Amino acid sequence: MNHEKNLAQRAALFKALGHPARLLMLNLMREHSRHGEELAAILSLNPATVSHHLAKLAEAGLVTPRKEQYYQVYSLRGDLLKKTLMEMVQMPQETLSTGVEQDAFRAKVLHTFFKHGRLTQIPSQRKKVQIILETIAAEFEPGRKYEEREVNHILLDFNEDFASLRRYLIEFNLLARDKGIYWCVEK
Amino acid sequence: MNHEKNLAQRAALFKALGHPARLLMLNLMREHSRHGEELAAILSLNPATVSHHLAKLAEAGLVTPRKEQYYQVYSLRGDLLKKTLMEMVQMPQETLSTGVEQDAFRAKVLHTFFKHGRLTQIPSQRKKVQIILETIAAEFEPGRKYEEREVNHILLDFNEDFASLRRYLIEFNLLARDKGIYWCVEK
DNA sequence: TTTGTAATTAGACGAATGTCAAAACAGATT
DNA sequence: AATCTGTTTTGACATTCGTCTAATTACAAA
């Protein structure tokens, strides 16, 4: 996809702005166009170095060159600079929010604490417990009522300590109970 | 002065934004706060690397950390990102416009073509000729009238080819002539 | 065409940056 | 107090970046 390219492009823009000499050049060009030799003299840099910097700025679309008599004159492209940092940082939702984000963390946690479909250990961090319990709670059909021994039976598939699991599920508000009848909480 | 620090700070901000992993982190934090381990899992990076990136973002003032249970949770500082690129690039006038800009180029040109107060050669680039001639024209008192032989005498101090200099000065509109009388043009 | 001048490229080299493994740290849980 | 776990630091290594000199290129001026 072009998301990668897009990402690299954005990074390149900021990278182009991330050097003192180049910031100074842009400020000088803010007043009027400049040619390489002039910038080199003002900044006390070698013309080759200036050329190198200008290439980066041009590649990022921040300046545009034009020929003029002997000189290659560079001028500022103001339109790009009018955007906010946020606009430049922000990437399309789809690039990130397709659930991939949390899935990576979920997957890691699940892989750590589940072996062959069974819960090997209950993590001590609440965020991880949450993930574990959500996975277990998915085994219960929404809307259906369960007897306590049905609940125990299901939980027993995950770990022999079904009582702790049941308690956790209620504590985390994933399971509800009334008069010995259980049901899973709607999301 | 703090101009230097200011300049380095600005560059550091952009440098912090100039890396794909850090851009992704900011985008992830745009939805909600994140802790290091989570980011490491999502980005498939070593926790140490993530910590390093987060430190750069924090130093640039783009994110702020807070402790939360086991975790160090980082959240986005939106205010900074609201500014435009131009606002971040732009430096106070005084830092640049005190005439230092052009002076550097002038100095270089003058050093190249003047030796011991005498003009060793007339440059072929108009921008440089302009600088040379302005320097020579400064020898004439504003308002005062000069005979042609007085003009020649002054120019002879710079170069034996006084006739060419005189012609150039008029061509560049630095000296004016009427009926054999010369005067320097007001700025 | 020849010459001169600014711009760019190539090459080299030191400095800064990104990455990870391992160790040290900090702080909550037990 | 002892332990466990996420975070940060340290050290090492490869990569990228900034800078210069020297060589090359592109063109305007003569």
Side-chain angles (χ1 to χ4, degrees):
Chain A
M1 304 308 175
N2 65 356
H3 296 147
E4 309 302 329
K5 185 191 292 181
N6 204 321
L7 179 63
Q9 277 176 333
R10 287 158 197 265
L13 171 73
F14 286 121
K15 224 179 289 186
L17 291 168
H19 191 281
R22 291 194 285 265
L23 283 182
L24 283 172
M25 287 186 199
L26 291 178
N27 272 284
L28 291 167
M29 286 186 243
R30 209 153 55 77
E31 300 176 11
H32 54 82
S33 304
R34 310 273 186 168
H35 57 103
E37 196 190 15
E38 189 183 2
L39 290 170
I42 296 175
L43 302 176
S44 305
L45 283 176
N46 189 297
T49 304
V50 169
S51 182
H52 164 247
H53 285 312
L54 286 170
K56 295 213 161 182
L57 290 175
E59 195 168 355
L62 289 164
V63 303
T64 43
R66 68 171 188 281
K67 275 224 103 59
E68 190 170 290
Q69 198 205 356
Y70 256 118
Y71 304 93
Q72 188 89 4
V73 179
Y74 286 84
S75 48
L76 203 55
R77 269 197 48 188
D79 48 328
L80 234 187
L81 291 177
K82 288 207 185 76
K83 302 215 176 199
T84 65
L85 295 178
M86 182 55 99
E87 286 177 277
M88 290 292 102
V89 167
Q90 190 169 341
M91 314 200 56
Q93 284 293 343
E94 33 153 30
T95 311
L96 302 163
S97 287
T98 37
V100 183
E101 333 143 21
Q102 358 174 355
D103 281 357
F105 185 55
R106 292 186 80 88
K108 188 182 171 189
V109 171
L110 294 178
H111 179 264
T112 302
F113 294 97
F114 278 108
K115 301 296 181 197
H116 313 109
R118 283 184 62 80
L119 183 61
T120 58
Q121 181 197 349
I122 296 183
S124 59
Q125 290 78 7
R126 302 189 76 77
K127 292 198 185 197
K128 294 183 178 175
V129 176
Q130 177 87 30
I131 290 173
I132 297 297
L133 294 176
E134 279 173 7
T135 304
I136 295 178
E139 293 299 312
F140 294 85
E141 291 177 28
R144 176 173 156 192
K145 307 288 183 188
Y146 291 88
E147 300 280 337
E148 178 162 311
R149 63 170 197 285
E150 289 181 282
V151 172
N152 293 345
H153 183 262
I154 291 176
L155 295 180
L156 211 45
D157 279 349
F158 292 104
N159 193 279
E160 59 265 32
D161 186 5
F162 57 85
S164 293
L165 285 181
R166 206 182 53 213
R167 202 180 329 114
Y168 270 127
L169 285 167
I170 288 172
E171 181 189 333
F172 278 72
N173 198 34
L174 293 165
L175 224 55
R177 170 179 51 185
D178 188 49
K179 302 190 182 75
I181 299 298
Y182 294 77
W183 63 94
C184 84
V185 175
E186 304 284 341
K187 281 295 162 54
Chain B
M1 298 312 171
N2 65 357
H3 296 146
E4 308 302 329
K5 184 190 293 181
N6 205 320
L7 180 62
Q9 276 177 333
R10 289 158 196 263
L13 172 74
F14 286 121
K15 224 181 289 187
L17 291 168
H19 191 282
R22 291 195 285 264
L23 284 182
L24 284 173
M25 288 188 199
L26 291 178
N27 272 284
L28 290 168
M29 286 188 245
R30 209 153 54 78
E31 301 176 11
H32 54 81
S33 304
R34 309 272 185 169
H35 57 105
E37 196 189 16
E38 188 183 3
L39 291 171
I42 296 176
L43 301 176
S44 304
L45 284 176
N46 188 296
T49 305
V50 169
S51 181
H52 164 246
H53 285 313
L54 285 170
K56 293 213 163 182
L57 289 175
E59 195 168 355
L62 290 164
V63 302
T64 44
R66 67 172 189 282
K67 273 222 107 55
E68 190 169 290
Q69 200 208 354
Y70 257 118
Y71 304 92
Q72 188 88 6
V73 179
Y74 287 83
S75 49
L76 203 56
R77 269 197 48 189
D79 49 328
L80 233 187
L81 291 177
K82 289 207 184 77
K83 303 214 176 200
T84 65
L85 295 178
M86 181 55 99
E87 285 177 276
M88 288 293 102
V89 167
Q90 190 168 342
M91 315 199 54
Q93 283 295 342
E94 32 155 30
T95 310
L96 302 162
S97 287
T98 36
V100 183
E101 331 143 24
Q102 357 173 354
D103 281 356
F105 186 55
R106 295 185 76 90
K108 188 183 173 189
V109 171
L110 293 177
H111 180 264
T112 303
F113 294 98
F114 277 106
K115 302 293 182 198
H116 312 111
R118 284 184 61 80
L119 183 62
T120 57
Q121 181 195 349
I122 296 183
S124 58
Q125 290 77 7
R126 300 190 76 78
K127 293 195 187 198
K128 293 182 180 177
V129 175
Q130 177 86 32
I131 289 172
I132 296 297
L133 294 176
E134 281 172 6
T135 303
I136 294 177
E139 292 299 312
F140 294 85
E141 291 176 28
R144 176 172 157 194
K145 307 288 183 186
Y146 291 88
E147 300 280 338
E148 178 162 312
R149 64 170 197 287
E150 289 181 281
V151 172
N152 293 345
H153 183 260
I154 291 175
L155 294 181
L156 212 44
D157 279 349
F158 292 104
N159 193 280
E160 58 266 10
D161 185 4
F162 58 85
S164 293
L165 284 181
R166 206 182 54 213
R167 201 179 330 112
Y168 270 127
L169 284 168
I170 288 172
E171 180 188 334
F172 277 71
N173 197 34
L174 293 165
L175 225 54
R177 169 177 52 187
D178 187 50
K179 301 192 183 73
I181 298 299
Y182 294 78
W183 64 94
C184 82
V185 175
E186 305 285 342
K187 281 296 165 54

